[in-house]
Amino acid sequence: MRQSKLFTKTRREAPADEAAKNAQLLIKAGFAYKEMAGVYAYLPLGMRVLENIKTIVREEMDAIGGQELIMTGLQRKELWEQTGRWDDSVVDVWFKSELKAGGEVGFGWSHEEPIGEMMKNYIASYKDLPMYVYQFQTKLRNELRAKSGVMRGREFVMKDMYSFCVGEEDHTAFYNATIEAYKRVYARLGLGEDTFVTFASGGAFTQFSHEFQTICDAGEDVIYINREKNIAINEEVLTEETLSSLGITRDELVEVKTAEVGNIFNFGRQKATDLGLSYTSEGGESVPVWMGSYGIGVTRLIGVLVEKFADEKGMVWPKSVAPYLVHLVGLNLEDASVRDYVDGIYAAFKDKGIEVLYDDREVRAGEKFADSDLIGIPYRVVVSKKTKEEGKFEVVERRTGVVRMLTEAELYADFDGNPET
Ligand code: ATP
Ligand code: MG
């Protein structure tokens, strides 16, 4: 992509009402546009990051047998009444509206009820189970406070997966496989070390749900961890009872601020019982399906990555999700022979399938470097009149600032393959 053609421009200031570092940087660098508090559009650079995260999540969900679909944003009131979750006093984040033709609809904040209902059409016998489905959905939640930038949106992208099993044994196997798949997702995003499978509340059927919590100062949660024992407990469930059931004492735990990047639930047969979703067993009996639900906050993760890895100069993207791998910065482009030369390097990168953003603008070098730091692409390759004469390229790694001088052949060899994180 030629930067001169990118409709977004970097800007020096974020909107005055934007308090969160993640959104400030995303807006300044032209990754996101703020429509209103808690509502952000993703522009070409931001969308590439979003799609890269989705690709990683998709690969891992497919690998454990997930089948992708997409549900609707509009939902039926009657369905949520059936499980007692239509009332605003029960679910406080509903957006609702009225149909001109009469009747009320809800805007999807979760899809547990609609997907259970839909599956009545596809699950009849034990032979239809297990079944695992997932989607990437724009969820709408009427959050009271939306001060954490893209980490708490009123509109945000979630990956939500649902499992349908005959009973506990199958469910547990899949639940555990999902925990492993989630760990791979966070590891591929460069968050593995700092992400903990955390005991949390929110299990209607079980004592705990499991949250995936990433250490992050800008997060809104507090958890207690012990790295050696690999135990993490959300403060909401930090009781004597929890501690003794996990065989740990309070003084073995340290408090950390975190962002919830995923949450998984075991519903037992309760949800399916409420919804009337049953299968016929081998013995011919009608049995409610054993369900589970598994979320990942896809757009929240963008915010977490910005918050955790940014430095004073701007964002720092892990290679696995960066909008481009290489930021090719051309200098002295007013000289036609240099411009031709840099255009040639750009074409060679593209030929080799190396994702490259080419700063082909005729602006000051200082401005180019500042923008490049702000945008945070993993490698900056500077090409100038001097490069052309000496045949050596300056390659700067954004994360470490390490500078290397490479020949053209070394350069392409270096970026070949598909490096991760
Ligand atoms: P929170 O406690 O942060 O409000 P939640 O427990 O209500 O989140 P879930 O229903 O568990 O959220 O949703 C699954 C995942 O979706 C969460 O783990 C989180 O990563 C993400 N998520 C939830 N709410 C938001 C939001 N308002 N903006 C962005 N991501 C969100
Ligand atoms: Mg949650």
Side-chain angles (χ1 to χ4, degrees), residues 1-271:
M1 179 77 198
R2 285 176 180 269
Q3 209 166 326
S4 63
K5 296 280 189 287
L6 205 56
F7 78 82
T8 59
K9 305 279 175 270
T10 59
R11 41 192 275 191
R12 293 293 153 241
E13 303 295 333
D17 66 343
E18 184 54 73
K21 177 169 88 173
N22 65 79
Q24 285 177 354
L25 287 169
L26 288 165
I27 293 167
K28 282 200 224 171
F31 284 54
Y33 166 76
K34 184 175 190 173
E35 180 69 27
M36 62 178 107
V39 181
Y40 300 87
Y42 291 89
L43 308 179
L45 293 173
M47 191 171 144
R48 290 179 72 95
V49 174
L50 179 60
E51 290 302 319
N52 288 341
I53 297 176
K54 283 167 66 177
T55 298
I56 290 175
V57 174
R58 181 177 285 126
E59 285 174 6
E60 297 298 344
M61 297 309 109
D62 288 348
I64 56 173
Q67 298 182 40
E68 189 171 355
L69 51 71
I70 183 136
M71 300 287 291
T72 64
L74 293 181
Q75 302 181 337
R76 284 163 49 211
K77 171 185 178 180
E78 298 70 33
L79 209 52
W80 290 90
E81 280 177 334
Q82 220 170 305
T83 56
R85 297 212 290 172
W86 177 255
D87 205 293
D88 289 346
S89 65
V90 180
V91 171
D92 60 3
V93 292
W94 270 119
F95 278 110
K96 295 174 180 172
S97 188
E98 271 163 37
L99 292 174
K100 288 209 168 148
E104 269 184 293
V105 287
F107 297 172
W109 65 277
S110 158
H111 284 72
E112 287 160 0
E113 272 75 345
I115 203 132
E117 175 70 16
M118 189 182 89
M119 282 305 172
K120 288 186 195 171
N121 295 276
Y122 305 102
I123 295 174
S125 132
Y126 69 95
K127 290 180 192 152
D128 299 323
L129 301 174
M131 195 185 292
Y132 319 116
V133 296
Y134 73 94
Q135 63 176 345
F136 294 96
Q137 253 276 349
T138 299
K139 306 285 183 195
L140 298 166
R141 292 188 182 183
N142 204 339
E143 303 273 1
L144 190 57
R145 275 172 287 277
K147 292 200 167 63
S148 298
V150 304
M151 292 171 65
R152 181 167 300 284
R154 296 198 162 99
E155 179 172 331
F156 62 95
V157 177
M158 190 200 288
K159 184 284 301 177
D160 42 327
M161 179 165 67
Y162 305 89
S163 64
F164 304 87
C165 293
V166 291
E168 186 163 21
E169 196 180 324
D170 286 8
H171 168 81
T172 305
F174 184 73
Y175 192 89
N176 291 337
T178 305
I179 290 179
E180 295 309 313
Y182 272 37
K183 286 187 191 164
R184 287 192 293 273
V185 167
Y186 301 117
R188 291 176 66 180
L189 298 174
L191 299 172
E193 285 288 295
D194 278 349
T195 302
F196 295 84
V197 184
T198 306
F199 291 95
S201 65
F205 168 76
T206 48
Q207 188 186 359
F208 300 114
S209 77
H210 287 106
E211 288 173 345
F212 291 76
Q213 293 276 4
T214 306
I215 297 178
C216 180
D217 284 337
E220 296 179 12
D221 291 359
V222 172
I223 69 166
Y224 291 81
I225 60 168
N226 181 309
R227 277 190 186 267
E228 288 69 48
K229 295 196 173 169
N230 201 17
I231 288 179
I233 307 169
N234 191 309
E235 65 173 349
E236 342 163 299
V237 297
L238 189 78
T239 60
E240 279 311 319
E241 193 193 344
T242 306
L243 289 168
S244 67
S245 75
L246 297 175
I248 195 156
T249 59
R250 171 64 188 84
D251 57 8
E252 292 177 90
L253 298 165
V254 288
E255 184 186 303
V256 284
K257 274 193 90 178
T258 52
E260 181 193 319
V261 293
N263 199 181
I264 64 176
F265 299 88
N266 173 3
F267 291 142
R269 301 192 195 276
Q270 190 57 53
K271 178 75 69 189

Side-chain angles (χ1 to χ4, degrees), residues 280-294:
T280 306
S281 72
E282 250 184 298
E285 283 161 278
S286 177
V287 185
V289 173
W290 196 296
M291 283 177 65
S293 154
Y294 314 81

Side-chain angles (χ1 to χ4, degrees), residues 173 195 205 303 311 318 321 323 326 366:
T195 302
F205 168 76
D311 61 19
V321 299
V326 174

